[in-house]
Amino acid sequence: MTRRTRRTRRTRPPLRSLFELPRRIGWRDHAIGAAVALVYAIWLGLTARSLGFPRDEGVYFRAGTDYVTWLHALWEHGQDALKQGAIDSAWSYNHEHPALMKTLFGLSWWFLHEQWHVVSDASTAYRIPAMAVAGGGLWITYLFGARAFSRRAGLVAAALLGLMPRVFFHAHLACFDVPIMTMWILCVYVHWRAQETRSLGWAIAAGLVFGLALETKHNAWILPAVLVPHALFVQRREIVHALRAGRVSIPTSLVSMAVLGPIVFLALWPYLWNDTLARIEWWVEFHLNHEYYNIEFLGRNYFGPPSPKSYLPVMVLATVPTVTLVLFAVGATDRVAVTVRRLVAWARSLGSKGSSGNRPAGDAGGDNERAERPPRDRRETDLLLALSFAVAIGPFFLPKTPIFGGTKHWLPAYPALALFAGHGFDRIVLAMRRALPDLAGARARWAEGVLVLTVIAAPLAITVHSHPFGLSSYVPIVGGTAGGATLGLNRQFWGYTTQDAAAEYLNAKAPRGATVFFDDTTWDAWGRMQEEGRVRGDLRGAGAPHEAQFALVQHELHMSEVDYSIWTALGTVNPVYVVAHDGVPIVSIYRKP
Amino acid sequence: MPAVGLLELGAHLVQAHSVVHESDWKSARDFVVGASQPDDLVTFAPRWVDPIGRQEFGPDVATLQREARPDESRFPRAFEVSIHGAHDPTLDGWRRTEERSFGRVTVATLENPSPVHVLDDLVAFVGPQRMQVSRLDGDHATECAFAHGSPVSGGLGAGPAVPGDRFACPNGGFVAASVAADLAYRPRRCIYAPPQGGKSVLRVRFLGVRLGRTLHGHHGIYVEAERNRTGAPVTLTFKVGDTVVGSVVHNDGDGWKPFEFDTSSLLNSTSATGRADVVAEIESPSGDRRVYCFEADTQ
C-alpha cells in the first residue's frame, strides 16, 4: 500500500458514513426535524400571498395589533399599563380565545413588518408564527416517529401530515387550528418523554407545554384525557406499590401539568388577571354553548344540533389522502395486533402463575412464552398515540358538538394518524424486504426511495393542486373537488375567496371606482387586501347587493339566499364570471346590467 | 401499497384534467339556442354547475323564469345540460328523446309525460296594471300604492331582496315579485307578501285572471325563519267574488308547499271571457319573521 493511499484513507472517510446516523436519536434528528420544518414553513410562506383572508383571521390580526400595543405601553409606561382599564381596553377584544398565538402574530407583525421591514405584507408577518408553528408540528412528528418506530417512519409521518390538503390550508392562517395541532402533539411528546425518562426536567417541561397548549386553544381542555390515563397506566406498578405502602403516588409530570399548566396559562393571558374566575367561567361557557353556524354536509345544511355522527368519518375519508389512510390502517392494525399479543401473553402469564405450583422443575414452557411475547414498551406508546387520536376526534361524535369548522377542529388527531401511517410504511418496507430477499445494498435503498415516492406523490400532487382552494378540495376517492360538490360537501367558509375573484376578474375588468358587494368577506379583510395590493385600491366596498355595481357570492349552500337576493337586486341571474376550482364554482361575480 | 399511491395519483390527475372546456359549453349553448322554444325548460346538472351554466348560456337561455321555476309541471320539454354524467332528479319520469354530446357536455332532450297548460301565471301580474294591494283592519281597507324605488337587499340573514318596483303599504309592509330560497335552498320566483300580523289581512287582488279548472301554486317562508320552526302559521285564502276557492296554511318546516284548488265550478259563473278577479288574502297571528312568499297559476 502506497503512502498516498494510506493518507487518503485517513483523511477521507467513506462517503456513506457521512450519511449514516447513529442508532441513538439525538441532535442530528433535531436537525432533520428542523430542516423538514423549515422547508414546510418556507413553502407556506411562498404560497401565503395567494390565499385570501377568512373572517376569523381578520379578527386575530386586529387582536394581535391590540395586544402588541399594550405590550408597547407596558414597555414604555410600566405600572400604568397594568391597571385594569389599560389591560381590558387592549385584551378585551376577542377574549373568547387565549392570547398566545395572537400575541405572537402581533409581535411578528410589529418586528418583521413595522420595525424591520423584512416582510412587505403585514398579513404575512401576522401569519409567520402560525406557519413556523406548523413546521414545528412536522418536526415533533418526525422526532416522535423516529423515537417510537424508526427514522423512516418519522420522516414519512411528518411528510404525510404536511401533505394533508386541509392541514396545508389551515397552516397558512394566523389562526389557532394548526397551532393547537402542534401544541397537542408537542404536549403528548413531552409527556411521553417524561414517562420514559422519569426526569424532573421533562416533567417540568410537560407542565410548561401543557400551559402553552391551554393558552393556544381550548382543545387543550381534553388533553388530560390523553395524558392522565396514560401516565397512570405507565406508572401503574409504582402507584399500586405506593398504595400498598399506604402512600399516594402521582406521576410527577401530572403534578407539573396541574401546577405549572394553569400558571403559564394565566401568566400569558393578561385579560384573566382581573375578575379571573368570572372571566374563565365566561370563556368556558362560551365554548360549551357555542353558537352553531351553517355548514353543508351530504347536501343538507346543518345549523344546529344534533350534529351527524357520520360527519367526521366521511370528512376524514374525503379530505385525507387515501394512501395516508391506508398506511394508517396498516400501521394501526399492526399495533393493535401487537397489543393483542401482549394481552394474550399477559393472560397466559397470569394463568401460569396460578398453576406454577404444579409445573415440574426445569419446565421450558416459560421460556417459550417469553419468546412469543412481543417486546414490552415501557412507554406504552401505542396506548398514548391511540388516546391522542381518539380523544381528539371523540367530541365530534357527540350530537351537541358544532361541526361548522369542517375538519379544522380535529386537526390535533392528525399527528397520531400520521405516526401510525409512518409505522404502516415501515411494515410495507418490511414486507418488501421479505418479498425480495435478494434486494440489498444500494438497490435496496433505491427500492425504498421509490416506495417513499409512491406513497408521497399523490398527497403532494393533491396538496399542491388544492391551493388556494384548500377547503374546496376533496381527495380522488370521492371524485376530487367535483366529487365533493356532487356529494354535497362544504366548499368553503368565511369568505376568503374574494381575493381570487379580484385576481381573476375584478382587478382587470371592473371600471375605476366601481362598487363591489363582497358577501361573506369582512370589511377588515377587504381593506387589508386593498392595502396589500391584492384587490385594486380604487374599488369601493358596498354593504348590500343593491348598492353595488358588482356583487359576489361565495358558494356555500346557505349562501344561496344571498345569490338569489343578488338576482333581484341587480336584475340578472347570469354571472359575468365564475371563479372555479376543477370546474366547480367557488365565487360567482355579477355585474349590474 | 405503491399501487394505492399510484392509483390515487392517477385518479387525481384525471380528475384535475376533467374540467369542461369553454368551447364545449359554447357548442352546447348554440345547440340549445337553436333547438329550444320559449316554453321549454333548460336546466343544468349537477346542481352545483348551475352558476357556470347561467354564465355560459346567458340571459336569453338561462332566464329567471327557468332558474327560479315553481316546479317543472308547466314545461312540455326540457333540455338537460349536464356534465360528469349527472342528471336532474326533478326530471325523473320524463321521456328522454335525444342526447347530444359536446365534448364533456351532454344535452339531453326530455319530454314531460303530462305537461299542464298554464292560463295565467299570477307572479307575472305583479305591477300596477294587473294587481291591487291593500291592508284590511276589520272593515277598514288601506290601499298599498305601487312605487318605483331602489331595491332593498342585504347579505346573509337579510331575507329575500325587495325589488325597486313594489306595492308599499303605509305601515311599511310591501308586496313585490322576488326570488326566495326554499327550505332546500332552491330559488323560487314568487310574490313576496309578508303578513302584517294580528287581525290585519294583506289582500292582493289579481285583475282579470283567466280561470281554468284548477288554481295551483306553492307557498313558503324565508328559509332562515322557516327552519327554526318557531314562527306563527300563515294562512293564504283565495277568493273569486264572494266564493272562497280554497285556503291553505303554511307552518314553519313545510318548505315549498304545493296547493291546488278546483275552480271548475267557477267557470260557468264568470264572465263570457272566462276572466275574473282573483283575491289572495294573507294573514298570520304574528308578523314576526313571517317573510312569506307565494306563487299561483291557473290551469
Side-chain angles (χ1 to χ4, degrees):
Chain A
M1 190 178 288
T2 64
R3 181 184 291 176
R4 189 177 170 185
T5 310
R6 277 200 302 273
R7 195 170 56 235
T8 304
R9 278 187 181 165
R10 272 202 304 273
T11 53
R12 271 197 215 162
L15 191 64
R16 192 189 308 163
S17 69
L18 292 176
F19 297 98
E20 279 177 359
L21 294 164
R23 189 178 173 81
R24 186 182 157 83
I25 303 296
W27 67 267
R28 291 177 185 83
D29 294 283
H30 279 284
I32 293 170
V36 170
L38 190 65
V39 168
Y40 197 62
I42 289 172
W43 184 20
L44 293 169
L46 291 175
T47 47
R49 192 173 160 79
S50 49
L51 192 65
F53 308 124
R55 297 178 73 84
D56 49 352
E57 203 181 22
V59 173
Y60 306 147
F61 289 164
R62 179 177 286 198
T65 310
D66 283 2
Y67 301 172
V68 164
T69 304
W70 180 83
L71 289 174
H72 213 69
L74 183 67
W75 180 259
E76 291 190 344
H77 307 295
Q79 286 293 320
D80 286 348
L82 294 173
K83 291 176 179 164
Q84 183 170 355
I87 290 174
D88 286 356
S89 70
W91 296 86
S92 290
Y93 186 69
N94 189 238
H95 61 266
E96 50 267 44
H97 289 294
L100 175 61
M101 291 311 300
K102 287 175 283 183
T103 308
L104 293 177
F105 303 156
L107 286 170
S108 174
W109 162 76
W110 174 252
F111 286 111
L112 300 182
H113 179 72
E114 294 288 307
Q115 290 296 302
W116 302 334
H117 308 291
V118 179
V119 179
S120 56
D121 284 348
S123 63
T124 304
Y126 284 115
R127 285 171 165 179
I128 280 174
M131 295 190 282
V133 169
L138 304 196
W139 180 347
I140 299 153
T141 302
Y142 164 72
L143 213 57
F144 206 151
R147 283 190 186 280
F149 304 119
S150 71
R151 288 190 173 99
R152 180 180 50 230
L155 212 50
V156 168
L160 293 178
L161 178 63
L163 297 177
M164 293 181 190
R166 299 293 170 121
V167 169
F168 184 69
F169 172 84
H170 291 293
H172 285 89
L173 305 179
C175 295
F176 321 127
D177 303 296
V178 167
I180 189 60
M181 178 191 86
T182 296
M183 296 310 296
W184 181 286
I185 194 62
L186 177 62
C187 218
V188 170
Y189 176 75
V190 172
H191 161 90
W192 182 66
R193 294 286 286 148
Q195 305 315 305
E196 182 183 29
T197 62
R198 308 287 170 93
S199 73
L200 185 62
W202 279 106
I204 290 172
L208 295 175
V209 171
F210 179 60
L212 294 176
L214 281 173
E215 187 53 29
T216 300
K217 204 180 174 192
H218 60 279
N219 300 57
W221 295 350
I222 55 174
L223 257 171
V226 178
L227 308 180
V228 173
H230 177 259
L232 295 180
F233 187 71
V234 169
Q235 301 193 31
R236 59 193 179 277
R237 288 190 177 82
E238 293 91 322
I239 293 167
V240 170
H241 188 73
L243 281 175
R244 282 179 182 154
R247 290 182 286 110
V248 175
S249 168
I250 302 172
T252 318
S253 60
L254 297 186
V255 175
S256 170
M257 283 168 53
V259 175
L260 293 180
I263 291 173
V264 171
F265 169 68
L266 289 172
L268 294 178
W269 196 356
Y271 179 72
L272 298 183
W273 294 353
N274 299 289
D275 302 330
T276 306
L277 284 178
R279 290 181 177 189
I280 289 176
E281 190 181 348
W282 182 92
W283 176 56
V284 172
E285 284 288 321
F286 176 83
H287 290 289
L288 289 181
N289 301 293
H290 199 286
E291 189 184 346
Y292 293 82
Y293 305 137
N294 295 282
I295 192 138
E296 185 183 10
F297 178 59
L298 298 179
R300 182 177 155 190
N301 184 58
Y302 286 86
F303 55 90
S307 301
K309 285 190 174 62
S310 59
Y311 188 69
L312 184 141
V314 171
M315 288 299 285
V316 168
L317 186 74
T319 59
V320 177
T322 305
V323 68
T324 305
L325 291 178
V326 172
L327 284 171
F328 163 72
V330 170
T333 304
D334 178 68
R335 297 319 301 171
V336 168
V338 169
T339 304
V340 168
R341 288 208 304 275
R342 270 187 68 190
L343 284 172
V344 169
W346 173 72
R348 279 183 185 163
S349 73
L350 285 183
S352 64
K353 273 179 195 168
S355 59
S356 59
N358 300 328
R359 182 174 292 166
D363 186 353
D367 291 337
N368 287 340
E369 280 170 17
R370 270 194 296 278
E372 287 170 14
R373 186 182 300 175
R376 185 181 162 217
D377 175 13
R378 286 169 46 82
R379 308 163 297 183
E380 302 293 352
T381 309
D382 294 336
L383 175 67
L384 182 62
L385 289 179
L387 282 170
S388 178
F389 180 73
V391 170
I393 64 171
F396 298 93
F397 291 96
L398 302 175
K400 253 195 86 178
T401 307
I403 55 168
F404 58 77
T407 62
K408 73 188 182 108
H409 290 160
W410 62 73
L411 294 185
Y414 285 168
L417 186 155
L419 285 164
F420 281 126
H423 175 66
F425 185 76
D426 267 354
R427 304 301 302 171
I428 300 297
V429 170
L430 201 63
M432 182 184 75
R433 285 180 184 165
R434 281 183 189 145
L436 305 168
D438 297 337
L439 212 58
R443 287 178 64 203
R445 279 193 292 278
W446 273 104
E448 280 182 28
V450 170
L451 206 56
V452 170
L453 281 179
T454 61
V455 299
I456 296 295
L460 177 65
I462 295 166
T463 303
V464 169
H465 183 72
S466 71
H467 189 77
F469 301 108
L471 294 182
S472 315
S473 172
Y474 290 90
V475 295
I477 199 169
V478 297
T481 305
T486 301
L487 278 173
L489 300 178
N490 172 263
R491 227 173 291 170
Q492 61 186 312
F493 48 75
W494 299 351
Y496 77 96
T497 48
T498 289
Q499 182 175 312
D500 302 287
E504 294 188 23
Y505 182 84
L506 290 173
N507 288 345
K509 299 285 174 66
R512 185 160 185 78
T515 46
V516 180
F517 169 71
F518 39 75
D519 189 18
D520 205 26
T521 305
T522 61
W523 284 89
D524 274 355
W526 174 260
R528 186 163 298 283
M529 285 190 288
Q530 289 195 308
E531 274 176 29
E532 297 184 2
R534 299 167 183 234
V535 172
R536 250 175 44 202
D538 62 287
L539 298 178
R540 293 172 295 146
H546 68 271
E547 296 167 354
Q549 290 165 271
F550 292 89
L552 314 184
V553 60
Q554 291 93 14
H555 289 294
E556 291 183 76
L557 182 58
H558 69 284
M559 283 295 169
S560 302
E561 66 165 276
V562 181
D563 207 351
Y564 310 149
S565 280
I566 292 171
W567 295 4
T568 302
L570 267 58
T572 177
V573 302
N574 309 102
V576 288
Y577 188 82
V578 179
V579 176
H581 180 55
D582 288 351
V584 176
I586 306 295
V587 186
S588 284
I589 306 171
Y590 294 90
R591 182 174 191 164
K592 189 181 272 186
Chain B
M1 187 55 60
V4 174
L6 295 174
L7 205 64
E8 185 170 36
L9 179 65
H12 165 70
L13 294 174
V14 168
Q15 288 162 4
H17 291 88
S18 297
V19 177
V20 178
H21 297 298
E22 203 166 333
S23 57
D24 296 345
W25 285 112
K26 295 217 178 303
S27 302
R29 179 188 179 278
D30 291 345
F31 169 73
V32 173
V33 165
S36 64
Q37 298 295 318
D39 60 351
D40 287 333
L41 172 64
V42 178
T43 181
F44 303 99
R47 191 178 160 192
W48 54 258
V49 85
D50 193 65
I52 293 175
R54 281 184 273 119
Q55 181 205 356
E56 295 289 351
F57 277 60
D60 296 335
V61 180
T63 61
L64 176 65
Q65 285 72 16
R66 285 169 171 157
E67 286 291 327
R69 56 192 178 271
D71 59 27
E72 290 70 34
S73 63
R74 66 179 62 186
F75 298 101
R77 194 168 59 150
F79 289 88
E80 182 193 63
V81 183
S82 67
I83 61 170
H84 299 310
H87 173 61
D88 183 345
T90 63
L91 303 180
D92 284 348
W94 289 40
R95 196 167 64 86
R96 189 169 289 243
T97 58
E98 190 185 356
E99 192 169 293
R100 298 277 297 269
S101 290
F102 303 91
R104 293 192 167 111
V105 178
T106 302
V107 180
T109 310
L110 299 102
E111 280 182 3
N112 188 343
S114 50
V116 297
H117 177 59
V118 172
L119 296 170
D120 271 327
D121 181 349
L122 299 190
V123 182
F125 277 56
V126 176
Q129 283 78 36
R130 303 176 75 185
M131 201 169 106
Q132 293 169 349
V133 178
S134 57
R135 172 189 164 135
L136 292 181
D137 292 289
D139 293 335
H140 180 69
T142 308
E143 205 65 24
C144 303
F146 189 76
H148 299 283
S150 167
V152 179
S153 61
L156 186 67
V162 183
D165 290 351
R166 57 182 178 256
F167 290 89
C169 298
N171 65 340
F174 54 84
V175 173
S178 188
V179 181
D182 71 14
L183 204 48
Y185 289 93
R186 285 188 174 276
R188 301 299 183 185
R189 184 167 165 263
C190 53
I191 299 169
Y192 191 8
Q196 308 291 295
K199 294 193 172 159
S200 292
V201 176
L202 187 64
R203 174 177 283 176
V204 180
R205 179 183 293 274
F206 301 93
L207 306 175
V209 178
R210 283 184 292 174
L211 293 179
R213 298 198 175 280
T214 58
L215 180 75
H216 155 271
H218 299 79
H219 61 162
I221 291 173
Y222 165 54
V223 56
E224 201 170 282
E226 176 148 44
R227 71 189 194 185
N228 291 330
R229 302 184 185 221
T230 55
V234 179
T235 303
L236 171 67
T237 304
F238 282 98
K239 294 177 180 171
V240 173
D242 292 331
T243 307
V244 174
V245 175
S247 188
V248 62
V249 177
H250 191 287
N251 291 295
D252 283 359
D254 284 347
W256 186 239
K257 186 177 179 181
F259 58 81
E260 192 161 286
F261 305 123
D262 185 353
T263 54
S264 52
S265 63
L266 295 170
L267 285 174
N268 298 330
S269 58
T270 51
S271 68
T273 59
R275 293 177 184 270
D277 290 354
V278 174
V279 172
E281 292 182 344
I282 302 109
E283 54 194 312
S284 175
S286 167
D288 183 39
R289 299 274 284 171
R290 298 297 75 195
V291 188
Y292 175 79
C293 217
F294 73 97
E295 70 82 28
D297 58 54
T298 56
Q299 300 174 355

